[in-house]
Every structure is written in C-alpha cells, then in structure tokens.
C-alpha cells in the first residue's frame, strides 16, 4: 500500500519550506504569491528557496501567481517568467487572473 499524497500550500517561509524538504521530501509544495503584498521574505528569496526545495526533494514546486489589475505590470510578469525560464523540470507555474467584479 502506498503512502498518501500530501500537498502543502503556503505564501512562503524559507526556513519552513526547507524543513519540509528535509523532513517530508515526498510532500508536494505549492507556493502562492501575489504582487505588492506584505510578506515576511522578499519574493526573490522565496523563489530561490523554492529552487532549493525542488533540488532537495527531486519534486517540482508549483508556483501559483495571482495577477491583480492595477498592481501588476507586464514588466513584473515578464521578470517572473524570465526567472522561471529553464525551470520546467523543477517548477510548474500557474498565472491566475483575479477578477474583482464577477457580474455576468
């Protein structure tokens, strides 16, 4: 019988992400980020940490980036995608468009 699949979703804490990689290397990690929000660690540090997690566990990290009109710019999205270039085996990127108004 195989072990249950575990997925942990987080807004990011490098030390906890690295602890997870060491102590539960079979767990899947999803890093959820948004533009210009207060976070305890800079986005660049979280992305570098996610590289370490992927290399330590041998499992891809899912990155879910929520795009918000008025906060995101094409340059910011381009910079994120450029950072992720070459990481197709270690990361899966999902761009999520936030809709403030859901009227039909």
């Amino acid at each position: 019988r195989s072990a249950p699949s575990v997925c942990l979703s987080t807004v990011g804490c490098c030390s906890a992400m690295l602890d997870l990689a060491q102590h539960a290397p079979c767990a899947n990690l999803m890093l959820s980020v948004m533009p210009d929000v207060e976070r305890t660690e800079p986005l660049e540090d979280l992305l570098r940490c996610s590289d370490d997690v992927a290399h330590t566990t041998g499992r891809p990290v899912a990155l879910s980036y929520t795009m918000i009109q008025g906060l995101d710019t094409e340059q910011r999205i381009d910079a994120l995608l450029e950072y992720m270039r070459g990481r197709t085996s270690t990361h899966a990127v999902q761009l999520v468009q936030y809709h403030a108004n859901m009227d039909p």
Side-chain angles (χ1 to χ4, degrees), residues 67-104:
M67 302 178 296
I68 300 176
Q69 186 175 3
L71 293 180
D72 267 308
T73 63
E74 279 188 42
Q75 294 85 0
R76 185 174 287 146
I77 298 300
D78 288 345
L80 174 66
L81 294 177
E82 180 62 30
Y83 182 85
M84 300 311 292
R85 185 178 312 279
R87 290 175 168 80
T88 56
S89 65
T90 59
H91 291 74
V93 178
Q94 175 183 357
L95 299 178
V96 179
Q97 187 173 4
Y98 173 78
H99 298 280
N101 187 350
M102 297 300 285
D103 290 337

Side-chain angles (χ1 to χ4, degrees), residues 4-91:
S5 180
V6 175
C7 181
L8 177 70
S9 180
T10 181
V11 295
C13 172
C14 284
S15 62
M17 289 166 48
L18 293 172
D19 282 349
L20 177 71
Q22 291 295 319
H23 296 98
C26 291
N28 296 306
L29 178 65
M30 174 177 273
L31 179 60
S32 300
V33 293
M34 295 174 24
D36 291 340
V37 296
E38 286 189 33
R39 43 177 84 84
T40 58
E41 299 176 62
L43 178 58
E44 295 78 16
D45 291 351
L46 294 173
L47 293 174
R48 280 192 293 275
C49 182
S50 74
D51 288 339
D52 294 340
V53 169
H55 292 294
T56 298
T57 64
R59 303 176 73 77
V61 173
L63 174 69
S64 180
Y65 185 89
T66 302
M67 302 178 296
I68 300 176
Q69 186 175 3
L71 293 180
D72 267 308
T73 63
E74 279 188 42
Q75 294 85 0
R76 185 174 287 146
I77 298 300
D78 288 345
L80 174 66
L81 294 177
E82 180 62 30
Y83 182 85
M84 300 311 292
R85 185 178 312 279
R87 290 175 168 80
T88 56
S89 65
T90 59
H91 291 74

